[in-house]
Amino acid sequence: MRALREDIHDILVSAPVAEARRTRDPRPIHRALGERGLLAPQWPEEYGGRGVSQVAAAVLVEELAMHDVPDLLHTLTVQIVGSTLLNVASPQMKARHLPGFAAGTSFGCVLFSEPQAGSDLNILSTRAVCDGKGGYKLYGTKVHSLFARFADYGLCLARGEDDAFSLFLVPLAQPGVTIRQIPGIGDDAFHEVALDGVSVTADDVVGSIGQGWAIVVKTLAFERTGLDYYVKALRWYRAAVERLEAHTDRLEAGQHDQIGLAKLNARLLAAGTLVRRVLTRLDRGELNEDEAAAAKWYTTELAAEVAWWAAELDGDTSMTLDDPEVDGVAHPLDSAMREAPGMRISGGTAEMMLETLARLRLDSGAEVRP
């Protein structure tokens, strides 16, 4: 694992990170990592990875965060879209798409949420209509899609004519696809993706027709390891501590908030342990829904708490206002307060995670104590 971290670190220290942060386009960095088999190191070598464990591959996500590389394109392409294909796609689909994802020459996004559905995927209205030639035409509008402007493919959930859900890997550079940016406060813009008779073939079906819902449940569990949220919380915590150490002459908070520091540090250690437990189960081929929900809930709540704590240390002026931008790139804490609330929504809201845990607990017959 140490050698893997060193290989990743060597690339990132010489990569154009400041430019990637300014433009929010990390694709050049992805390609540099992909050339060395480091963008998806947990994938088999035949698909462009190194065949390491999920636990070992977590060092990539951590290094991306510690070097302030925009991380969500990697999350979408490798951890969500790529992992879904790796686990349920046909050998032909894997061979067609995974090497490009691992090389950083092809990218994916997720097309799940819709304007009227929000987080309730069960009421999606996007339709897949048979075209009479063995393929389908997709009609509908997806929203809150991150990095759609850079994506070559969208993992799209749609209803068939029998109302059953199917999952498609949609080529986005074709007629009928319209991508529009949605105004927001985050560093990475959301997009609306309209599908007006977009063509997909039988080869673009992920898994089998009618299996979309079961696959998406697994996909969301892959997303809910908590790893991305944990490393973001860790990055913000370290950035805030660095700020405290640099300004203890001005910030009284830096002199008497040792208890707060210790509490957050203890929670970060607990979060890291929880995340590694989920990743270890994935390495064993296990997918534990309640542990994934717990990891997602705990790490996003922690990230939000770290962001609030960092902002409150210097009162209403924030800790970041006196730090000038470097090459047009602001301090990492500038985005923390804007990004953290969305973490509690994306990939399943905090309330949904708690509901999942409560339901599974009751279904197991375990005693519920007040």
Side-chain angles (χ1 to χ4, degrees), residues 237-255 257-258 261 309 313-314 319:
Y237 174 81
R238 290 180 179 177
V241 170
E242 291 170 2
R243 185 63 58 81
L244 279 174
E245 292 174 346
H247 297 302
T248 50
D249 57 326
R250 293 192 301 105
L251 298 175
E252 291 185 3
Q255 300 171 5
D257 196 35
Q258 297 302 314
L261 281 169
W309 169 77
L313 284 176
D314 199 23
M319 293 180 66

Side-chain angles (χ1 to χ4, degrees), residues 163-178:
D163 256 5
F165 286 108
S166 295
L167 197 61
F168 302 88
L169 191 64
V170 183
L172 297 179
Q174 62 170 310
V177 178
T178 302

Side-chain angles (χ1 to χ4, degrees), residues 4 8 37-44 48-53 56-58 60 74 78:
L4 183 65
I8 295 168
L38 294 170
L39 190 59
Q42 69 273 37
W43 291 1
R50 291 196 176 188
V52 304
S53 68
L60 170 63
H74 174 266
V78 174

Side-chain angles (χ1 to χ4, degrees), residues 98-157:
L98 292 183
F101 288 161
T105 57
S106 182
F107 301 90
C109 67
V110 172
L111 303 178
F112 291 171
S113 297
E114 296 181 3
Q116 305 303 320
S119 294
D120 189 358
L121 299 184
N122 197 42
I123 61 173
L124 297 183
S125 61
T126 295
R127 290 283 173 176
V129 180
C130 294
D131 63 5
K133 303 175 183 179
Y136 301 86
K137 298 283 189 180
L138 301 181
Y139 297 88
T141 299
K142 300 293 186 175
V143 293
H144 306 142
S145 179
L146 287 162
F147 283 100
R149 63 185 176 124
F150 293 147
D152 301 283
Y153 298 93
L155 190 65
C156 179
L157 186 65

Side-chain angles (χ1 to χ4, degrees), residues 63-114:
E63 287 296 319
L64 290 174
M66 295 306 119
H67 286 84
D68 299 317
V69 176
D71 61 325
L72 291 176
L73 186 58
H74 174 266
T75 299
L76 291 163
T77 302
V78 174
Q79 296 176 243
I80 300 178
V81 179
S83 292
T84 298
L85 299 189
L86 189 64
N87 283 275
V88 303
S90 67
Q92 294 79 10
M93 178 175 270
K94 292 178 186 179
R96 190 163 65 248
H97 295 290
L98 292 183
F101 288 161
T105 57
S106 182
F107 301 90
C109 67
V110 172
L111 303 178
F112 291 171
S113 297
E114 296 181 3

